[in-house]
Amino acid sequence: QSALTQPASVSGSPGQSITISCTGTSNDVGDYNYVSWYQQHPGKAPKLIIYGVSNRPSGVSYRFSASKSGNTASLTISGLQGEDEADYYCCSHTGSGTWVFGGGTKVTVL
Amino acid sequence: EVHLVESGGGLVQPGGSLRLSCAASGFTFSSDWMSWVRQAPGKGLEWVANIKQHGDEKHYVDSVKGRFSISRDNAKNLLYLQLNSLTAEDTAVYYCAKVTGGAFEWGQGTLVTVSS
């Protein structure tokens, strides 16, 4: 049950695109399409922004997109905006009914 | 709209116990897996436990096995987490979450502080 690996921080200027990686193993990210992403602003609860690898819930901006290749999932934020400054977490099913989160990535808008 | 409200957090001494509750509304509670996820101060998210729709299957992260117990009351739309033998490492905000197709939808959390 080791945490998925995410970069500690990623930054970009307004309007740019950034990508956050989430690396697991063949026992989690690589084996299941139950990969999701969450945005968390300081002092707030996490918010679902991507589920099922690449699906956006209703109401989530089209600027958020995601994909998976092998044991690595990726979240891309395009047209970066100030409101995107937050922590982002990936999550994957690990089999046997358990789940694991990534360590989190702090996104800074320069 | 999914609405989850956690309660029961507070200050507890090392070795003590606490029971967290989560009141659910806005969806058919008995149709979904439910989870508890925690976040230590300044740290990331950690999945803690989950429970199947009718409580016949439960899973825990290794660090809480034998100390924490998840349960649910579908008649009252309530999810519980019993925390026993608490240590300082259990200090965190505890969130309950509805889990559908791998998507977690969250409550606002309740803070548990373990300290003497």
Side-chain angles (χ1 to χ4, degrees):
Chain A
Q1 294 173 325
S2 298
L4 305 175
T5 300
Q6 297 182 233
S9 63
V10 173
S11 61
S13 299
Q16 286 187 329
S17 293
I18 61 170
T19 296
I20 301 169
S21 61
C22 169
T23 301
T25 71
S26 58
N27 295 318
D28 39 62
V29 174
D31 203 25
Y32 300 95
N33 285 327
Y34 290 127
V35 178
S36 52
W37 290 89
Y38 302 88
Q39 177 191 61
Q40 186 180 36
H41 287 107
K44 302 294 187 182
K47 173 190 173 185
L48 174 70
I49 56 173
I50 295 287
Y51 68 97
V53 175
S54 59
N55 300 292
R56 251 188 341 268
S58 173
V60 172
S61 173
Y62 68 92
R63 298 184 299 102
F64 293 95
S65 62
S67 62
K68 187 186 83 166
S69 178
N71 298 337
T72 299
S74 299
L75 173 72
T76 297
I77 309 174
S78 57
L80 199 62
Q81 299 180 0
E83 66 201 49
D84 301 330
E85 191 160 287
D87 293 325
Y88 292 82
Y89 295 90
C90 60
C91 176
S92 174
H93 191 251
T94 68
S96 302
T98 62
W99 300 84
V100 64
F101 284 88
T105 298
K106 181 178 182 60
V107 169
T108 301
V109 181
L110 301 172
Chain B
E1 181 185 353
V2 172
H3 194 50
L4 300 168
V5 179
E6 301 92 337
S7 61
L11 175 63
V12 60
Q13 292 189 336
S17 298
L18 215 54
R19 188 176 84 156
L20 308 182
S21 300
C22 172
S25 61
F27 65 102
T28 304
F29 180 71
S30 59
S31 295
D32 288 285
W33 281 80
M34 296 295 295
S35 274
W36 287 96
V37 179
R38 67 183 178 181
Q39 186 170 36
K43 302 297 184 181
L45 301 171
E46 180 183 38
W47 173 82
V48 173
N50 63 4
I51 184 169
K52 200 173 178 180
Q53 287 88 337
H54 296 289
D56 53 322
E57 188 174 335
K58 305 174 185 180
H59 302 279
Y60 301 90
V61 68
D62 286 346
S63 59
V64 309
K65 283 180 181 176
R67 300 189 302 122
F68 291 8
S69 178
I70 189 171
S71 62
R72 64 192 297 163
D73 184 335
N74 287 346
K76 297 180 179 179
N77 287 0
L78 288 170
L79 176 72
Y80 302 104
L81 186 67
Q82 178 68 40
L83 292 68
N84 297 328
S85 303
L86 286 162
T87 72
E89 286 66 44
D90 298 315
T91 293
V93 174
Y94 285 74
Y95 295 100
C96 77
K98 168 182 175 291
V99 187
T100 305
F104 286 66
E105 296 180 80
W106 309 72
Q108 289 305 302
T110 187
L111 175 63
V112 173
T113 303
V114 184
S115 175
S116 56

